[in-house]
Amino acid sequence: MINPLSQGGRPPLPLGAMTGDEDYVTKRSHALVEVFSDIVEVPLKLIKAPSGSTDCKSFIRAPLHHPEGYLVVEHELSHLLFSTNLPLMEDCRTKSVERMMHR
């Protein structure tokens, strides 16, 4: 394994666990959503839900009760960063389901 310091890179950051109990996941997720809200200049609301989703405009839904809920929040925030085209994605999903139903 190459030591990043010997290659002129930055030292590893002590980021802590990416998983935990609901209180930990919720607090960490809220902090992350606040940072991204400031970066993209969009007021985002974090909502506890059974699974992850976003409208890329106003909310992030994630299973904050699940130990991996924080990772779902990160995934949903990535849609904002990479400009996911939600209407196009919906059209593709609808067509795929229609094809499956016809089969």
Side-chain angles (χ1 to χ4, degrees), residues 3-88:
N3 180 342
L5 292 176
S6 68
Q7 300 296 313
R10 65 167 175 71
L13 298 173
L15 297 176
M18 300 296 270
T19 64
D21 63 18
E22 183 174 350
D23 185 51
Y24 176 79
V25 169
T26 300
K27 286 179 184 176
R28 192 163 174 158
S29 296
H30 273 291
L32 182 65
V33 169
E34 284 180 31
V35 168
F36 272 80
S37 289
D38 289 343
I39 290 171
V40 297
E41 298 177 344
V42 174
L44 297 169
K45 182 176 181 182
L46 179 61
I47 301 167
K48 180 181 174 183
S51 62
S53 65
T54 182
D55 66 352
C56 291
K57 294 183 268 184
S58 62
F59 69 83
I60 300 291
R61 289 188 181 127
L64 302 175
H65 59 283
H66 192 277
E68 294 181 6
Y70 180 80
L71 301 176
V72 175
V73 172
E74 285 185 334
H75 169 83
E76 296 306 328
L77 288 169
S78 73
H79 289 292
L80 276 80
L81 284 181
F82 300 110
S83 302
T84 300
N85 186 329
L86 294 178
L88 179 61

